[in-house]
Each structure stands twice: as C-alpha cells, then as structure tokens.
Amino acid sequence: MPITSTASDTTSLVHAAIDVHEPGPAPGEVGAKLTTIEFQLNPKELTVAKSAKWESKNQKKSSTAPPATYQGPEPQKMSVEMYFDETRTRDGSVVKRVEALFQACTPTSKSTGKNQPSAPWVKFKWGVLTGFVGYIKSVSAKYTLFSPNGTPLRAVCTVALEELAKQPGKQNPTSGGLQPRNAHTVREGDSLAAIAYREYGNPAQWRSLAEVNGIDDPLRLRPGQVVLIPALDELSRADGREIARKEVARALLR
C-alpha cells in the first residue's frame, strides 16, 4: 500500500499527527507527552529518505575509483507539509498552530532545568506509519491568506524531521558502553567545543566528546560526520573511567 494513501470511507479516516514528548533516556524511549500537533488535512505526499555513509581516500597513482569503507547508516529523514485553515472560525488564526511547531524546535523547560537543554523528541503517526521517533530539524511557514485586519487565516508549513541515532551495541556485557541521548551531524564551521557548549553549556566537555566518539584529532571534524551526544551524567562516568585507566597505566610504569 502506498504510504501516501488515505481511506476513502470517512468512518475509518485516520488523521496524521505529531506527538511531542520530553527527551527520553535513550533513542526510541520518549519521555512524557507534552502535546499533539494534529494535521487538519492529511498530507498529499510524504518524503522519506535513508542513506549510508561511505568514506574513500584518494590515491594519486590509482587509475580507478579508490576503495570505499562503509561507515554506517545516516539518520532517516522525513519531510511533510502541514496545511492549516481557520477561515471557517470566527476570529480564527493559524498563528497558534504554527507557533506550536516552532516551539518544538526549542529546549523544553524540564531539560533546561536539568542543565541538559534539548528540544522535544517527536513521534510521527499516521495509520501504519507510527515507528518514526526523532526530532523536528526545521520548520518553514508560508502564510497564504489574511483577514482584512492582517490576521493569518491559512498557512502551509514544511516540516523536516530527522531520526534519532540508535543505541550502539556494547562490545561485551561489561563494556559499560554509553547510551547516546542524541546525535549531531557536523556542519561546516562546527567544532567540538561549540557542540559541547550547545549541548552541555560547557565548552570544556569537548575532550569527553572526543573520547566517547573516538576522535583523535578534534580540529579535523568532517562535514556530515555524526557525533554522538551522551547524557551529561553518563559523560561524567565516562570521564571517571578514563581517569581511572590512566592512573592504572601510570602506576604500572613506575
């Protein structure tokens, strides 16, 4: 069945919606539901994209394409348009609906209070399409109709969602691997210090992020590279384990 199809029988019509949740303890485990942003009209189309990351190193003497190494899957992406119309309501306005989408791109009060600011996690649901758990990456609103006093009555919002990174498997039952709370795709001009400041409010945590992600040279981040962002308490435990390992190594060298 095409993912854009809808039932023709109004008694079985299912409306698409985006559930907005507090960030959960791990990807796929959302926190408490904050609100639901409903589609007034089901989307006419829905774009879903998935890609894999490959890395190749140029070889000057090679006469063919260099070999590529698989680096893992990229987060799934989804794009959908939401149509809002308040022309049939007295003194209606679509501004509140649009602002609800914008609000889903800003940190929740609870996460800010814990000194772990994060935008909400969301679930897109529409019929059988209920397994997407991620976050709203961007919202673009276009107002298309206004009342005589300038009140927006219709709007089309383009919403881009991105899947949260899955929890990587541990190497063994005692490895104590971290559970990524989120993931950041590196853009041009990004640095680990800037990412650490945005995620934890402390740029000095760049060393911990480098350790967790196995980054040997933090000055050479590549656009498109994915940096896993553990919760702050787990990052602190990782720091403690690393300090303990170094202390043991120094003791053995004496």
Side-chain angles (χ1 to χ4, degrees), residues 15-246:
H15 279 284
I18 297 175
D19 284 341
V20 182
H21 294 259
E22 286 284 355
E29 300 177 18
V30 296
K33 186 164 78 170
L34 299 174
T35 188
T36 296
I37 305 174
E38 295 184 347
F39 286 63
Q40 283 187 302
L41 297 173
N42 280 336
K44 294 185 296 183
E45 57 185 19
L46 182 70
T47 302
V48 181
K50 184 71 175 180
S51 60
K53 183 179 179 181
W54 293 78
E55 184 177 275
S56 60
K57 295 183 179 180
N58 291 331
Q59 299 176 353
K60 294 182 179 179
K61 296 182 180 180
S62 177
S63 60
T64 60
T69 304
Y70 179 65
Q71 301 293 314
E74 296 282 2
Q76 181 173 306
K77 296 176 176 61
M78 179 184 293
S79 179
V80 64
E81 287 188 337
M82 300 184 73
Y83 300 89
F84 299 132
D85 188 326
E86 294 294 343
T87 56
R88 295 185 180 182
T89 59
R90 184 176 181 180
D91 300 325
S93 171
V94 295
V95 171
K96 287 185 178 180
R97 295 180 183 272
V98 174
E99 287 296 329
L101 287 171
F102 287 165
Q103 189 66 30
C105 296
T106 61
T108 67
S109 299
K110 186 175 180 179
S111 69
T112 303
K114 291 182 177 180
N115 200 27
Q116 297 177 353
S118 172
W121 292 4
V122 299
K123 278 186 175 182
F124 176 84
K125 59 180 186 180
W126 186 22
V128 298
L129 303 175
T130 58
F132 189 96
V133 178
Y135 55 93
I136 294 179
K137 191 173 182 66
S138 66
V139 177
S140 175
K142 180 180 180 181
Y143 295 107
T144 59
L145 183 67
F146 300 85
S147 69
N149 65 1
T151 301
L153 299 177
R154 286 179 185 163
V156 180
C157 293
T158 302
V159 184
L161 302 98
E162 190 161 309
E163 175 189 31
L164 283 165
K166 296 291 189 281
Q167 176 182 345
K170 298 180 180 180
Q171 294 180 351
N172 57 65
T174 59
S175 65
L178 296 178
Q179 294 183 352
R181 177 173 169 271
N182 207 334
H184 174 79
T185 302
V186 175
R187 298 184 293 271
E188 193 71 37
D190 270 347
S191 68
L192 279 183
I195 295 171
Y197 179 75
R198 181 170 59 249
E199 297 293 339
Y200 307 117
N202 182 4
Q205 292 285 4
W206 72 264
R207 294 182 177 85
S208 302
L209 280 179
E211 178 67 27
V212 167
N213 286 275
I215 298 174
D216 297 326
D217 187 351
L219 298 179
R220 298 184 63 184
L221 292 181
R222 302 185 309 275
Q225 181 178 354
V226 176
V227 177
L228 298 180
I229 310 295
L232 188 60
D233 59 340
E234 295 204 8
L235 199 65
S236 299
R237 291 200 295 273
D239 288 343
R241 291 194 296 271
E242 179 61 20
I243 292 171
R245 285 195 294 268
K246 290 180 178 179

